[in-house]
């Protein structure tokens, strides 16, 4: 899908439209992020946060250690 397909009649594109960004592929989100769209980063983090936390819990052996590790960054 082209970005222009998501433009509103007011001419506002995907910048700041998180609900529309959620429909985009990871590759597209990365392209938006490289162009300065910080909302794309928020969508990527939200998309993978639970999987990353599950992986950290598995590797570290405890939920508390995984949560503590994530707060350090």
């Amino acid at each position: 899908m082209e970005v222009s397909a998501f433009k509103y009649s007011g001419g506002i594109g995907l910048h700041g439209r998180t609900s529309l960004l959620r429909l985009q592929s990871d590759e597209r989100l990365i392209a938006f992020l490289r162009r300065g769209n910080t909302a794309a980063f928020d969508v990527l983090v939200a998309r993978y946060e639970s999987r990353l936390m599950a992986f950290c819990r598995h590797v570290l052996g405890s939920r508390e250690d995984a949560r503590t590790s994530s707060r350090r960054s």
Side-chain angles (χ1 to χ4, degrees), residues 13-56:
L14 289 174
H15 289 279
R17 302 290 183 191
T18 306
S19 59
L20 292 177
L21 283 172
R22 288 186 190 124
L23 301 174
Q24 301 299 309
S25 68
D26 292 350
E27 293 81 11
R28 189 74 143 203
L29 289 170
I30 292 167
F32 289 139
L33 184 56
R34 287 181 175 165
R35 288 186 226 135
N37 187 331
T38 56
F41 178 78
D42 295 336
V43 171
L44 281 169
V45 168
R47 188 174 286 176
Y48 292 102
E49 185 175 26
S50 64
R51 289 186 225 175
L52 181 58
M53 286 301 293
F55 174 76
C56 290

